[in-house]
Amino acid sequence: MGHEGFTEVTRLAAAREELLSVVNPPAAAESVPVAEADGLTLADSVAATRDVPGFDRAAMDGYAVRATDTHDASDRSPAVLDETGGDVTPGLARYVHTGSPMPDGADAVVKVEETDTRGDRVEVFAAVPPGENVAPAGEDVRSGDRLFDAGRRLRPSDLGLLKAGGHRSVSVRGRPTVSVIPTGEELVAFDPGYGETTETNGLTVSRLVERWGGEATYRDIVGDDEGALRAAVERDTDHDIVVTTGGSSVGERDLIADVVADLGDVLGHGVALKPGHPVGYGVVDDTPVLTLPGYPVSCLVTAVQLLRPAVAKAGGFEPEPFPAFEATLDRKIASEVGVRSFVRVRETDEGTVEPVRGGAGVLSSVAAADGWVVVPESLEGVAAGESVTVERWEAFH
């Protein structure tokens, strides 16, 4: 199994495992206010320090009563109770709002629409059992309950639960730092002239790193010069991961593999996936270096498959599965046995999915896609009419 110009090609799973083996563990934990912890990773498990809610509360607007006082109440024969503003003793009812603490003595709430008032008296038209329309203390969380395990990457709703559970601050891992270095003599930041190309890979990869929980340093373009490439990589080995885009193949201007080999070790160069087989990875000064291909789609695929799990390991968390949906394929997908293929597809008006036209250099094909179908190494394609799983790899989640 091989690709033109590569003497050895590594299976994707093995390449991922080898890259992750040189990713260093997360940095030491630090304590941050809960309000500032969105997107950060818990260093320790966290338990609630109090009940949520901390008291029995009304779950409806209505009257707090003793359930026994409503026995046999009905539209024809309402129970008649005296309204009070204090404790609920036999024969009394007290008006409560949703979320109000239950008054002493009351064990149920009659919904306001099932009552009527006549002066200081309350007519109750429905019997209620004990606990009806009452949210008991600890209904949401009890003191001592584990809220989250270590390694959880916190979401906005998690912060609310942490605060409700009694926490002002939490112990978290810092965001892993990733240097993103776009390379290529033909690249310009904007307004390309004849023979020039606008730099997009570094921008895209750095923003993906941020979405995946890392902190990206988006560097200026470096030309196809060994000295400049060497200096750029050496400068950034204080980051958790160094990523380059472009120049990763085996042509005359593809220099980054030689630079990594000169500075450290190339662990792999050439991976059995499509698009993206020219990807490489190694280590320099104990820092993993990932060299992504220059074709935009190849760059994206390899970043998702290799850089994303590396960012997660450096941050001390597990990457979440991508949102996915099942669909019927309306046209055959061709693939190569021994190669894992990532085929962009889009939904049709008929509810099926179809492959998106465009090669690895057609960036617009990514924007046109609703996700991709993964064809494993054991298959030479997927027939039309087959059910496939579509991964929404770029979805917000």
Side-chain angles (χ1 to χ4, degrees):
M1 181 179 61
H3 293 270
E4 185 176 353
F6 290 85
T7 57
E8 184 177 350
V9 177
T10 307
R11 289 284 183 106
L12 176 58
R16 186 184 292 126
E17 182 178 357
E18 196 167 21
L19 172 63
L20 294 182
S21 72
V22 297
V23 175
N24 294 310
E30 58 179 319
S31 180
V32 301
V34 165
E36 299 174 13
D38 183 34
L40 298 179
T41 302
L42 284 175
D44 304 300
S45 61
V46 181
T49 63
R50 60 191 178 201
D51 288 345
V52 182
F55 51 85
D56 292 348
R57 60 185 179 181
M60 293 281 181
D61 289 352
Y63 283 90
V65 299
R66 297 170 72 250
T68 55
D69 287 341
T70 69
H71 183 65
D72 289 337
S74 67
D75 289 339
R76 292 186 177 183
S77 179
V80 181
L81 307 174
D82 292 323
E83 187 168 2
T84 181
D87 295 347
V88 174
T89 55
L92 298 183
R94 178 173 171 177
Y95 190 81
V96 290
H97 298 282
T98 302
S100 297
M102 289 291 289
D104 288 344
D107 61 2
V109 173
V110 182
K111 292 186 289 187
V112 67
E113 56 265 33
E114 294 175 340
T115 66
D116 196 9
T117 56
R118 296 181 183 275
D120 293 335
R121 312 204 82 184
V122 181
E123 293 182 340
V124 177
F125 300 107
V128 290
E132 184 76 1
N133 300 318
V134 177
E139 178 191 44
D140 192 346
V141 173
R142 290 198 174 277
S143 179
D145 283 354
R146 179 170 292 189
L147 300 179
F148 303 110
D149 291 326
R152 182 179 180 91
R153 190 173 165 214
L154 294 170
R155 301 174 295 191
S157 59
D158 297 341
L159 307 188
L161 184 56
L162 287 167
K163 184 178 180 182
H167 293 277
R168 295 178 182 271
S169 61
V170 286
S171 179
V172 296
R173 304 291 184 187
R175 298 179 188 272
T177 57
V178 181
S179 164
V180 182
I181 307 170
T183 77
E185 206 65 42
E186 76 285 4
L187 298 182
V188 293
F190 208 74
D191 293 332
Y194 182 77
E196 295 178 328
T197 301
T198 303
E199 199 293 303
T200 61
N201 287 335
L203 170 63
T204 303
V205 170
S206 62
R207 297 292 76 83
L208 284 172
V209 166
E210 299 281 344
R211 185 180 294 185
W212 296 334
E215 180 181 322
T217 303
Y218 177 23
R219 294 299 193 184
D220 291 337
I221 299 163
V222 179
D224 298 319
D225 175 83
E226 285 198 32
L229 291 168
R230 179 189 180 106
V233 172
E234 286 185 307
R235 171 196 60 199
D236 287 345
T237 54
D238 59 340
H239 289 65
D240 292 309
I241 303 169
V242 174
V243 180
T244 64
T245 67
S248 70
S249 193
V250 289
E252 290 183 1
R253 292 170 58 186
D254 294 307
L255 306 175
I256 192 63
D258 289 338
V259 168
V260 173
D262 184 47
L263 293 173
D265 292 305
V266 173
L267 302 178
H269 188 202
V271 176
L273 81 168
K274 185 178 180 180
H277 75 268
V279 65
Y281 50 95
V283 61
V284 174
D285 291 340
D286 201 34
T287 300
V289 179
L290 181 61
T291 59
L292 304 179
Y295 272 160
V297 185
S298 299
C299 181
L300 288 169
V301 169
T302 50
V304 173
Q305 296 304 311
L306 294 169
L307 177 58
R308 182 173 183 257
V311 170
K313 182 179 178 183
F317 58 90
E318 290 292 329
E320 295 184 18
F322 291 120
F325 65 94
E326 299 297 315
T328 300
L329 187 64
D330 80 339
R331 289 206 313 272
K332 177 184 177 180
I333 290 176
S335 186
E336 178 184 345
V337 173
V339 174
R340 178 159 294 221
S341 295
F342 296 83
V343 181
R344 287 144 284 153
V345 297
R346 61 184 165 204
E347 296 182 78
T348 69
D349 294 338
E350 291 73 34
T352 60
V353 292
E354 63 181 4
V356 175
R357 297 184 184 279
V362 181
L363 183 56
S364 62
S365 68
V366 176
D370 294 304
W372 60 37
V373 172
V374 182
V375 184
E377 291 90 342
S378 59
L379 300 180
E380 59 180 359
V382 182
E386 290 290 319
S387 178
V388 292
T389 299
V390 181
E391 292 183 348
R392 294 188 183 274
W393 65 271
E394 205 173 12
F396 287 97
H397 69 288

